[in-house]
Amino acid sequence: MSSSVLYDVPGPRAIVRNRILGVITVLVVAAVIGFFVWRLAATGQFSAEKWAAFTYTNVWIQIGLATLRTLGAFAVAAVGALALGFILALGRLSLHRWVRWPAGALVEVLRAIPVLIFMFLLYYGLPVLGIRMEPYWAVVIALIAYNGSVLAEVIRAGVESLPRGQSEAGYAIGLRKSGVMRLILLPQAIRAMLPVIIAQLVVTLKDTALGFIITYPELLFYARFIGSQSTLGSPIVPATIIVGAIYIGLCLILSAIATLVERRLRRSARTTRVAGANQPTQEVTDTELIAMQKGAGKYDAQGL
Amino acid sequence: MGVITDNLDLWQETLIGTLILFIAGGLVALILGTIVGAMRVSPIPIARAVGTVYVNTIRNTPLTLVFFAFAFALPPLLGLRLTAPVSLTLAIFALGIYTATYVAETIRSGINTVPVGQAEAARALGLTFGQVMSQVVMPQAFRSVIPPMMSVFIALLKNTTVAAGFSVVNLGSIRSYMSERGENQFLVILWVMAIFVALVLLLSWAQRALENRWKVAR
């Protein structure tokens, strides 16, 4: 670690200081964990009665079904968001102003609306106009609208980061606009942006949890249900731990795929050159990757 | 317009609720995020490991789950009674702890954008650690941190609405109060959307202005 901006190679005094700080870190972390374990023990969360609910097969079947509903909403929303993302990106890249302008305005507005408010509009707002919507569709449509608009910016940034020579060469061999886009620009842009696209899908998966608030019976909804059963001893804490572990596990798997793809892409020199970005040797975060792309989409708050 | 002018009290109350969540949550996120960011770039391996585990776990946790844990699982653990101020405090910390990971990552990548040669040159000149930090590294890191940090705060502003699901008064929860008063929910939500679009556009404009002003010439 000698090549850090922040500190030099430590001398004897710095080594002692670092060790002391290391011990303090361990103590603080141990204190926080210890506090929670103590509270868990003191409120009887480790007792068998609190976990009795999770000895029933039926409870686990319900948890499995709730996981499937979470994944079901995620899968449909992911496919829809990718489709909408492509359409909006193509719209924003269009050479016709009457296509480009509305697409741009739509992307900006959809990105600025909180996903939950969009779900409220679909679930609570539309019935006023006489349209009743299932919570499932409210979740899916809101997720498609938001993540589609973010993905549109990602794809657009990817296309715009390509060297101009790519499209010029395409036109030179006689391809039309659609051919240049479909055969030359999009494949390279998607390759370069794949890690960011997958990272955005992690956001989509995380945001399916918002469905809990509009009564979509996903994992959190079931945790709340089982946690409020007084006949089972109201095991809200164990239910939160179990459902939380499932959610975090699912997101970690998807994130790991994104990291894997990123690493493989970086290994192939061809992508590095094509992406036109001077890829740093260190680990690149998604934000940095986007930031490296030229154009208006930089530093966007996707990923949050 | 009637939806707004007839219920000014509610709009004011909820807007203030959103701003409290935004500002207080932002403060918690900044303080915690700076600590975690510093841990992630520190020369102490154990601190780096703790920072990495924190960031990777919370970044893969849905915000709704963080709120859920704070609103439902924490009160029985700590023996809290859920009054309005307690709910608000829990919501602020849920938002802060979630957003802190993004603040930490922004700070870390900002520091990573400063070329090593800058600090090496400063050290070669004989500047002390404090001087290297305050006169060479931090001014450059700060400039490259500001624009992405604004994005983090834009996201935080939008995320404050999640508190509506956990009985904290904010713009996200005005819908339910308005429907009790018999107002048109559809219109109310459209207005809430318009307010958020305006606020977000305002922040993005500030972001662009700051970015142009503080560009690092390299």
Side-chain angles (χ1 to χ4, degrees), chain A residues 1 7 15 18-19 21-22 25-26, chain B residues 39-53:
Chain A
M1 291 304 291
Y7 39 83
I15 288 176
N18 287 350
R19 284 208 183 119
L21 284 172
T25 313
V26 172
Chain B
M39 281 166 80
R40 290 209 70 183
V41 295
S42 75
I44 305 153
I46 184 79
R48 277 206 302 276
V50 171
T52 310
V53 167

Side-chain angles (χ1 to χ4, degrees), chain A residues 2-122:
Chain A
S2 60
S3 61
S4 164
V5 198
L6 294 176
Y7 39 83
D8 220 330
V9 182
R13 271 200 300 177
I15 288 176
V16 172
R17 198 175 54 224
N18 287 350
R19 284 208 183 119
I20 294 172
L21 284 172
V23 171
I24 293 174
T25 313
V26 172
L27 287 179
V28 169
V29 172
V32 171
I33 294 173
F35 176 75
F36 276 102
V37 172
W38 169 59
R39 286 314 308 173
L40 283 168
T43 52
Q45 303 298 339
F46 293 129
S47 64
E49 303 90 73
K50 282 281 180 192
W51 294 81
F54 302 99
T55 55
Y56 297 110
T57 320
N58 195 31
V59 168
W60 281 102
I61 291 174
Q62 290 302 323
I63 291 178
L65 289 176
T67 313
L68 283 183
R69 279 192 290 268
T70 293
L71 289 176
F74 162 67
V76 178
V79 173
L82 282 170
L84 182 68
F86 273 109
I87 294 169
L88 287 176
L90 291 180
R92 279 202 96 166
L93 289 164
S94 164
L95 294 177
H96 307 287
R97 189 176 296 163
W98 56 271
V99 178
R100 199 171 55 219
W101 198 84
L106 192 61
V107 167
E108 290 302 326
V109 169
L110 286 183
R111 279 196 319 167
I113 298 171
V115 189
L116 184 63
I117 300 295
F118 208 104
M119 288 183 188
F120 280 174
L121 183 79
L122 297 173

Side-chain angles (χ1 to χ4, degrees), chain B:
Chain B
M1 257 343 240
V3 195
I4 289 203
T5 47
D6 297 345
N7 302 286
L8 267 182
D9 53 331
L10 253 185
W11 284 97
Q12 195 187 355
E13 194 188 337
T14 49
L15 186 62
I16 289 174
T18 293
L19 289 179
I20 290 175
L21 284 172
F22 176 60
I23 293 168
L27 270 179
V28 174
L30 265 184
I31 294 168
L32 190 61
T34 310
I35 295 172
V36 176
M39 281 166 80
R40 290 209 70 183
V41 295
S42 75
I44 305 153
I46 184 79
R48 277 206 302 276
V50 171
T52 310
V53 167
Y54 173 72
V55 167
N56 283 346
T57 316
I58 301 289
R59 284 233 290 192
N60 286 296
T61 309
L63 176 61
T64 324
L65 174 58
V66 181
F67 264 100
F68 189 95
F70 270 71
F72 300 137
L74 215 51
L77 274 188
L78 304 181
L80 296 172
R81 283 196 46 237
L82 275 184
T83 54
V86 173
S87 286
L88 180 66
T89 315
L90 287 174
I92 287 170
F93 276 96
L95 275 173
I97 284 173
Y98 179 80
T99 313
T101 59
Y102 296 95
V103 172
E105 282 305 274
T106 308
I107 289 175
R108 187 177 72 101
S109 51
I111 288 171
N112 281 344
T113 58
V114 182
V116 182
Q118 296 278 327
E120 283 172 351
R123 282 185 210 127
L125 286 173
L127 299 189
T128 63
F129 178 78
Q131 285 171 323
V132 175
M133 281 296 126
S134 62
Q135 321 232 340
V136 179
V137 175
M138 282 309 160
Q140 298 184 52
F142 180 72
R143 282 161 181 246
S144 53
V145 158
I146 291 298
M149 196 65 92
M150 289 295 284
S151 297
V152 171
F153 281 103
I154 290 175
L156 170 64
L157 176 67
K158 294 194 285 176
N159 282 339
T160 55
T161 52
V162 178
F166 301 90
S167 52
V168 176
V169 178
N170 69 85
L171 275 179
S173 58
I174 193 172
R175 174 201 65 75
S176 55
Y177 299 110
M178 291 294 247
S179 76
E180 276 167 26
R181 293 191 182 183
E183 294 285 358
N184 183 336
Q185 290 203 49
F186 187 74
L187 273 182
V188 172
I189 300 173
L190 279 186
W191 273 112
V192 173
M193 281 182 168
I195 292 173
F196 270 101
V197 171
L199 287 175
V200 169
L201 288 183
L202 189 75
L203 284 177
S204 334
W205 171 81
Q207 176 182 28
R208 225 162 291 147
L210 288 175
E211 193 184 334
N212 287 335
R213 201 165 145 197
W214 279 334
K215 234 180 237 161
V216 184
R218 219 171 256 148

Side-chain angles (χ1 to χ4, degrees), chain A residues 129-140:
Chain A
L129 306 183
I131 307 166
R132 283 210 60 80
M133 193 172 269
E134 293 287 310
Y136 170 78
W137 286 109
V139 170
V140 167

Side-chain angles (χ1 to χ4, degrees), chain A residues 190-271:
Chain A
I190 293 165
R191 235 178 102 84
M193 289 314 228
L194 204 53
V196 187
I197 292 174
I198 300 176
Q200 189 58 38
L201 294 183
V202 179
V203 176
T204 313
L205 177 56
K206 282 162 66 177
D207 281 353
T208 54
L210 289 171
F212 162 69
I213 298 172
I214 59 162
T215 70
Y216 177 58
E218 44 75 76
L219 275 168
L220 287 178
F221 193 86
Y222 187 68
R224 179 88 174 115
F225 170 78
I226 200 85
S228 57
Q229 299 300 307
S230 51
T231 46
L232 297 170
S234 306
I236 185 73
V237 177
T240 309
I241 292 173
I242 289 174
V243 165
I246 296 175
Y247 249 123
I248 296 172
L250 290 175
C251 293
L252 278 175
I253 292 172
L254 204 51
S255 291
I257 296 174
T259 317
L260 202 75
V261 169
E262 204 170 342
R263 209 166 287 155
R264 286 188 62 174
L265 280 181
R266 211 179 309 137
R267 226 184 290 146
S268 73
R270 195 172 130 256
T271 333

